[in-house]
Amino acid sequence: MLGLMQKKQLLISSILTHAAAHHGEQEIVSNTIEGGMHRYTYADAEKRIMQLANALVRLGVKLGDRVGTLAWNGYRHFEIYYATSGIGSICHTINPRLFPEQVAYIVNHAADQYIFIDLNLYPLVEALGAHLKTVKGVVVMTDKAHMPDTAKLSATIPVHCYETLIADEPETIAWPDFDENTASSLCYTSGTTGNPKGVLYSHRSTLLHAYATHMTDSSPLGAADCVLPVVPMFHVNAWGVPYSALMSGTKIVFPGIQMDGGSLTKMMNDEKVTCSLGVPTIWLGLLQHLRESGQRLETVKRFLIGGAACPLAIIEGFGKEYDISVVHGWGMTELSPVGTINAPKAGMEKMSADEKYRHQLKQGRALFGYEMKVIDDDGNALPHDGKSFGRLMSRGYWVVSEYFNDDENPDGILDDDNWFDTGDVATIDERGYMQITDRTKDVIKSGGEWIGSIDLENVALSHPAVAQAAVIGIPHPKWDERPLLIVVKKPGAEVTREDLLSFYDGKIAKWMVPDDVAFVDEIPLGATGKILKTKLREQFADYKLPTA
Ligand code: AMP
């Protein structure tokens, strides 16, 4: 017997409708590429989104068509999110930091019909021109006054101006109704091996993810909050913020291209930001800026940090010096992206401040709607004891089932029980808190034991002279591999190899202490701000450890 409740489909357009109807006066503020701040209300945004949706229909964009974006966090990008998905087409966000060949591969693989591009990125699409095989038009996300010279690209692909394109369109549209399992957006993984792979989100998965990331123990946003997503809209939908913020009527501040500590501090104080989200490197920059300038963040209560392991130095720095709580979360493109968030359980209020900070190093508990387990190499589930580590497996309402047009995995990417192997190695403790020890391919295999690089990096990062740290395995004749610590020193700081190695005493088991330290000027970062261990391994391919 079926229930007798309404079968309203979970569609992204319903978020916008709700937001404009009940929070029409709420603001969206953007630091623009053209210069200056742009501000308007949810009600204004809805009108322009409807104009853009009408323009897309006029251009012939249909249900299931892919519309690419190469853009930073700003109001026009936000409008494209809702206009494309609203009419049933797919918002395909592309990372502009990728190499041009990767961008061309992704656009062609996704068969994008149109590309929307931010003004300062225009040279990228101009250079790719004829390599974009399926693109019927490029839309430059600016007004007529700021349009670049488009003569070169126009010879092969029509080029439109965003503001001109939408100017004469009606400010209303009747959003179509369709199955909630319809695809809504597409994001390619930043995979370090093989070609990038497309993760195709649905309206249903996006809405359920947005609900879940809203719960009190997740990353809650309210109508009195102001959120600044530093996490880019081109990377897994800015962790869902453009959807979750509108569900609650939260003020949004889009930072554009200025994500340095000084610019973030100014925007956070000017706009009274209460919550912000991003990867650890951003927060290290901000912390350093605050310390050097003596400025404070007057309204910020919480940072959600994920995308890479958040070091203790950030958690303690913001907690002790600025009274801002750092909430550690974990996820991945294949998970929409959030899987776990570290919120306390009853009884933890008795922990000392230091115990609490250390506990924040864990990536957190599973949100409702997401399931996880760790398994050994034979597929057996490992106990939740905080010690046994193995492959982290995922399943749930917003977990990938297969990649988009995937030729590389003919047998699929799930096991018989629909578990997806995340490629991460983790432990889960008695209370259900998961902690990532490494990526499977980065784990250091030393004499039959595994050493996770994240723990070793965290210790190094808590040394006052260390700005950045990475640990990789170096081949060793006796132990297979041994850890090498690679360090960028803070400007003006002095520290020796011996200082750093003895800094590990008492913090981790002796046999895990790195065998050597290499000082470098910079550590290579990938397109999403994560350390490129593959590059480091190439760089140190001929490195001889003193212990070898
Ligand atoms: P991406 O799909 O590019 O977002 O990358 C996802 C990967 O980033 C995960 O599989 C993890 O390896 C890593 N990651 C994300 N969040 C964290 C975190 N809080 N701690 C450690 N690694 C993380």
Side-chain angles (χ1 to χ4, degrees):
M1 186 186 290
L2 293 179
L4 296 174
M5 306 308 280
Q6 297 185 8
K7 279 195 211 139
K8 190 168 161 50
Q9 301 297 309
L10 294 168
L11 296 183
I12 286 170
S13 55
S14 69
I15 305 178
L16 180 64
T17 305
H18 168 85
H22 301 289
H23 304 278
E25 75 295 349
Q26 186 55 286
E27 268 190 309
I28 298 174
V29 181
S30 307
N31 196 0
T32 67
I33 310 288
E34 295 92 338
M37 303 300 278
H38 171 276
R39 52 181 75 235
Y40 68 171
T41 63
Y42 278 14
D44 300 329
E46 186 190 42
K47 285 186 197 147
R48 283 173 51 89
I49 289 165
M50 290 186 164
Q51 286 183 297
L52 176 59
N54 284 314
L56 289 171
V57 172
R58 172 164 57 82
L59 290 174
V61 175
K62 295 183 297 300
L63 195 78
D65 282 350
R66 272 78 69 201
V67 174
T69 66
L70 278 157
W72 311 103
N73 291 7
Y75 68 103
R76 292 194 184 99
H77 203 180
F78 169 81
E79 290 166 1
I80 299 163
Y81 264 49
Y82 278 94
T84 49
S85 307
I87 61 168
S89 63
I90 297 163
C91 182
H92 172 205
T93 53
I94 308 163
N95 186 339
R97 296 204 184 101
L98 293 171
F99 293 118
E101 311 82 67
Q102 289 173 305
V103 172
Y105 170 86
I106 288 175
V107 171
N108 290 330
H109 187 269
D112 289 333
Q113 305 274 301
Y114 283 88
I115 299 285
F116 282 72
I117 187 152
D118 256 335
L119 190 54
N120 70 328
L121 297 169
Y122 182 74
L124 172 61
V125 79
E126 188 176 50
L128 291 175
H131 297 289
L132 307 176
K133 301 190 187 111
T134 56
V135 176
K136 293 183 193 153
V138 167
V139 184
V140 189
M141 295 161 62
T142 190
D143 55 17
K144 205 166 161 208
H146 290 90
M147 276 298 278
D149 176 2
T150 59
K152 187 170 160 215
L153 185 58
S154 301
T156 41
I157 305 174
V159 183
H160 306 271
C161 163
Y162 187 100
E163 291 303 327
T164 313
L165 182 73
I166 69 169
D168 296 331
E169 293 295 339
E171 290 178 347
T172 56
I173 194 168
W175 293 119
D177 204 15
F178 41 77
D179 186 325
E180 65 191 22
N181 292 298
T182 302
S184 59
S185 61
L186 175 64
C187 181
Y188 279 70
T189 59
S190 42
T192 45
T193 51
N195 283 318
K197 295 172 190 71
V199 181
L200 190 60
Y201 310 104
S202 69
H203 285 254
R204 175 187 153 87
S205 68
T206 304
L207 259 78
L208 292 176
H209 175 266
Y211 269 121
T213 52
H214 243 120
M215 289 195 287
T216 312
D217 278 358
S218 305
S219 171
L221 293 172
D225 276 311
C226 174
V227 65
L228 189 154
V230 183
V231 50
M233 292 172 77
F234 58 72
H235 188 59
V236 218
N237 301 324
W239 299 352
V241 170
Y243 308 112
S244 53
L246 259 68
M247 280 182 165
S248 301
T250 304
K251 176 177 169 181
I252 308 178
V253 180
F254 288 123
I257 44 176
Q258 280 158 347
M259 287 166 282
D260 59 285
S263 305
L264 287 177
T265 303
K266 178 160 175 19
M267 278 184 275
M268 287 178 181
N269 285 339
D270 286 355
E271 301 300 333
K272 302 197 175 5
V273 168
T274 56
C275 169
S276 188
L277 309 86
V279 294
T281 39
I282 293 286
W283 308 114
L284 274 177
L286 180 61
L287 198 52
Q288 202 174 329
H289 168 80
L290 293 175
R291 284 174 179 157
E292 283 165 9
S293 66
Q295 284 183 292
R296 299 201 61 91
L297 299 173
E298 284 146 22
T299 50
V300 174
K301 292 185 220 131
R302 197 173 67 242
F303 289 141
L304 181 68
I305 303 187
C310 184
L312 192 61
I314 295 185
I315 299 171
E316 277 187 343
F318 282 114
K320 285 186 180 162
E321 295 165 48
Y322 299 96
D323 199 22
I324 293 172
S325 46
V326 165
V327 181
H328 196 181
W330 166 90
M332 62 195 311
T333 310
E334 286 87 340
L335 261 74
S336 308
V338 186
T340 65
I341 290 196
N342 189 333
K345 279 189 167 180
M348 290 188 178
E349 67 282 356
K350 296 191 199 105
M351 286 177 165
S352 69
D354 282 341
E355 276 174 321
K356 279 185 197 158
Y357 292 137
R358 293 204 69 75
H359 186 261
Q360 280 298 109
L361 286 173
K362 299 197 176 204
Q363 278 74 5
R365 299 184 268 116
L367 301 183
F368 168 71
Y370 165 70
E371 292 173 78
M372 65 179 178
K373 63 175 181 180
V374 284
I375 58 169
D376 64 17
D377 281 343
D378 299 321
N380 306 308
L382 292 168
H384 290 191
D385 57 10
K387 290 195 280 287
S388 312
F389 55 87
R391 282 149 54 204
L392 177 65
M393 308 293 285
S394 291
R395 189 163 82 166
Y397 296 141
W398 51 85
V399 177
V400 68
S401 65
E402 56 186 283
Y403 293 116
F404 181 60
N405 283 345
D406 180 16
D407 304 327
E408 290 177 26
N409 296 289
D411 301 326
I413 54 169
L414 306 184
D415 72 10
D416 292 345
D417 294 319
N418 284 338
W419 289 99
F420 169 74
D421 188 337
T422 61
D424 284 333
V425 179
T427 59
I428 302 178
D429 70 15
E430 297 80 355
R431 295 174 170 129
Y433 289 83
M434 183 272 285
Q435 182 159 24
I436 302 274
T437 50
D438 225 325
R439 293 288 296 164
T440 318
K441 52 190 186 314
D442 295 336
V443 167
I444 299 149
K445 303 196 175 71
S446 173
E449 298 285 350
W450 286 10
I451 304 178
S453 57
I454 293 180
D455 263 355
L456 301 186
E457 288 161 6
N458 271 335
V459 172
L461 283 168
S462 59
H463 190 287
V466 173
Q468 278 180 292
V471 173
I472 57 169
I474 296 284
H476 189 283
K478 179 162 177 208
W479 302 107
D480 288 339
E481 282 184 336
R482 289 293 302 157
L484 168 69
L485 169 65
I486 301 164
V487 161
V488 178
K489 287 186 235 173
K490 284 192 184 150
E494 269 319 317
V495 63
T496 63
R497 166 188 187 275
E498 287 66 31
D499 291 338
L500 282 177
L501 295 183
S502 58
F503 191 64
Y504 281 94
D505 286 351
K507 298 192 175 83
I508 53 159
K510 253 198 158 45
W511 63 273
M512 291 187 181
V513 175
D515 280 20
D516 202 8
V517 183
F519 294 98
V520 293
D521 292 334
E522 64 176 351
I523 287 182
L525 298 180
T528 53
K530 297 179 198 193
I531 293 175
L532 274 183
K533 297 242 168 135
T534 39
K535 265 262 157 60
L536 278 179
R537 278 193 285 266
E538 279 168 26
Q539 205 174 318
F540 286 88
D542 300 324
Y543 197 82
K544 291 270 170 304
L545 289 168
T547 51

